[in-house]
Amino acid sequence: EVQLVESGGGLVQPGGSLRLSCAASGFTFSDHYMDWVRQAPGKGLEWVGRIRKKANSYTTEYAASVKGRFSISRDDSKNSLYLQMNSLKTEDTAVYYCARRGSTGEIDYWGQGTLVTVSS
Amino acid sequence: DIQMTQSPSSLSASVGDRVTITCRASQGITNYLAWFQQKPGKAPKSLIYAASSLQSGVPSKFSGSGSGTDFTLTISSLQPEDFATYYCQQYNSYPLTFGGGTKVEIK
C-alpha cells in the first residue's frame, strides 16, 4: 500500500524558515517524481513544486510564488522527500501535501498533509 | 501559465442525480487533465487521469471526457459519499495548475 506521511509543520514567524519531510513507503520511491501541493485555509489547491528522479538529474520545478524561497530535495536511500521553506510570508500559511507523480504523469497518491502557520 | 476554470463553483444535488462539472483550460492541453475529490479536513483523492482514465479502485459511476481545452467530470448517480469538492488539474506544462474547485452539496 502506498503511504506518504508528512511531518515538520508548525508555527513560524514571518521571515523564518521551516523544513518539511515526507516519508514514503509501499512503492519504489526512487522511480517516481514527487510533488508538493499546498492549500491555504478555506482555499483551493496550489501546486508548489516537483523534483524529478535520479535518471533526470533530480531537477526541480517551482511555482512562481515560491521560487527562490523554497527548495525541494530528496534522499532515495531514506525514501524521503523534503521541502525547505525560507523567508516565509503570512500567505504561505497552508496545509502542505506531499504527492506522488504516477507513471503517466498525473498525481496519483497524496499524503495526509501537515499544517504550516506563518504568524507573529 | 495555463488557467483552469471550473464551473459551476458550487451546486446542490439530490441523491441519485446525475452531476456534470466542467473544466476549461486557457490553452490546449491535449488530454493531460486529472480530476480529484476532496472531503472536508481530508487529503485530496485522485479520481481520473488522462482526461478519461479511472484511477485504480475508483467506481465506474465517475467518468471523464474531453480534450484540448474543454473537459467534463460526470457522476452518474450521486451517492451520500460523493458530496465533496472536486478539482481539475492540468499537467501538460509547468507550472501545474488547478481549477478553483466545485463544491457538490446536498439539496
Side-chain angles (χ1 to χ4, degrees), chain A residues 33 35 37 39 43-47 50 52 61-63 97 101 104-113, chain B residues 1 32 34 36 38 41-46 48-50 55-56 87 89 91 94-100:
Chain A
Y33 297 10
D35 287 5
V37 177
Q39 186 170 38
K43 303 297 185 182
L45 300 169
E46 179 187 17
W47 178 79
R50 167 170 288 176
R52 298 179 178 87
E61 304 284 347
Y62 296 97
Y97 296 101
R101 175 191 180 268
T104 45
E106 81 290 358
I107 289 176
D108 60 358
Y109 287 96
W110 299 72
Q112 87 289 347
Chain B
D1 298 4
Y32 293 111
F36 304 97
Q38 187 178 34
K42 300 294 186 182
K45 174 186 174 183
S46 301
I48 286 172
Y49 66 99
Q55 288 284 359
S56 175
Y87 295 93
Q89 185 212 28
Y91 52 100
Y94 296 106
L96 308 188
T97 46
F98 290 90

